[in-house]
Amino acid sequence: MKTVNFSKQISLLLLWGGIGLLMACSTKEEVGILPLTEGGKSLNATTLGQVYTVSNANELSVLSLAPGDKVVMMAGNWHDQVIKFKGQGTEQSPIILVTQVPGQIISGRSTLEIDGTWLIVDGLFFTNGYASDGKNVIEFSRTSSNCRLTNTSIQDYNHPQDSTKWVSMFGDHNRVDHCSFTGKTKVGTTLVVWLDSVPDYHLIDHNYFGPRPSLNGANGGESVRIGSGELSPTASSNSKVSFNIFEECDGEGETISLKSSHNIISNNFLYKSQGTITCRQGHYNEISNNYFIGNDKADCGGIRLTGENHIVKRNYFQHLKGRSLRAAISVMNGEVSPTYSGYRQVKNAVIQNNVLVNCRETFYLGSAPSTTRVLAPDGLNVSKNFVINPTSLMITNENNLPTNSVIVNNQLYGQMVIPGFITMIKADMIKASGIWQIKAEQKIPFWLNVPVGPSWQTGIKVYPLQSTIDSLTI
């Protein structure tokens, strides 16, 4: 890992990394320890089965795979392939599907279904094609459990007309990690978690979500969505989204859309993305330790809340120009009798220890009021936040203020203090790793030293920050 030094023109480096798997080309040979690695840490999955080589999807479909088996997709023409990877592995002996050469191109009308338990797919590259008839490019089946998609990329795989999802996660305890998703231009969420009657506990981590153009107001442009509102809007997913980078994901106003409860969205980096992390439905979600850097690009927002008992803590917001629903922290008004797709009143949200720098609208408490959205937020705890040079500090509705709420012990620099704020104590803040940080909680942002994306997509990504942060002195 390279050491990053900051100068007057700050640059942030994303090192594309991921997971490498031991490759084998012979058939039916004994396999010992397969060195799966994640961020340099060996996972050492023990395999005791056979190694098979296949040249097309049909050859894969006829295999009767057992725990510990490995299938190698040989280099060649994987075009118009309906790939179905099935099997019942175990935690100690998963069944593994790898490519002979990491980054094997899968093209045409090709798709992948992962169907079974303890299955691992590694090293695919979907490009030069699209999923036909509105199908998913990659799907974890409804009966899948403890399966993993890693070190894989989907790029410019757009149906010319139909809406498609690139990854659909059904089942439970599945994981998508160290993958890359870039160039989605059509309607359809990039990655969806579909709810069931019980929590699904999926993991989405260490992925790169690349530029996605605006759909000009249409729905279906989320990069990640957990839930769909088809079940109860309070159904729990218990999924975790962490250590992902979202660069210029401008599809719509909800970059990450939560339509379920009990999720954790932590340590993600939204860079120049014209959207927010949105609690659209559901309760008890935690949004923590994320980074939102807009560089004054229009409509870049932070976090939007509806629903009850959410936690918003230790996030970093910088140079965000979004307004109202795309304010840095936007707490919506709710409806008296919301439908499944309606807007529930915000209750008992905790908003603490966040750092907000040069944001156009810092706090909007009661955003998007209307003739039906008449319930102001209730029971808010807005405390111990640090605000630097806001354009607008606190926006509320004069005749419909938040009720039963506490706004205390927040620190402010660059504007006249109002109730709930004090002048910033300079000793509490430090400029480190190119951003302002609470001195007692100083850390290196993950996107400077944690591998994200497939290991075979090598290179260094540069993220320039606004120069005004470097010259700002508290």
Side-chain angles (χ1 to χ4, degrees), residues 297-368:
K297 179 180 173 181
D299 295 327
C300 291
I303 295 170
R304 173 160 66 105
L305 300 182
T306 69
E308 302 177 12
N309 298 293
H310 300 305
I311 295 174
V312 177
K313 64 180 182 180
R314 297 188 177 91
N315 300 284
Y316 183 80
F317 309 81
Q318 180 179 306
H319 284 281
L320 301 179
K321 287 294 187 181
R323 304 180 66 184
S324 187
L325 297 179
R326 303 190 197 198
I329 297 179
S330 177
V331 183
M332 288 189 67
N333 265 17
E335 297 170 335
V336 175
S337 299
T339 63
Y340 265 29
S341 60
Y343 295 86
R344 283 151 186 80
Q345 183 184 21
V346 176
K347 297 182 179 180
N348 307 318
V350 176
I351 302 171
Q352 289 183 333
N353 291 99
N354 301 285
V355 177
L356 304 104
V357 182
N358 290 93
C359 294
R360 183 172 185 174
E361 293 183 355
T362 306
F363 298 98
Y364 199 139
L365 307 183
S367 58

Side-chain angles (χ1 to χ4, degrees), residues 28-31 47-52 66-70:
K28 292 194 174 183
E29 64 181 28
E30 293 298 325
V31 181
T47 63
L48 302 173
Q50 307 296 325
V51 174
Y52 300 90
D69 285 351
K70 182 170 69 169

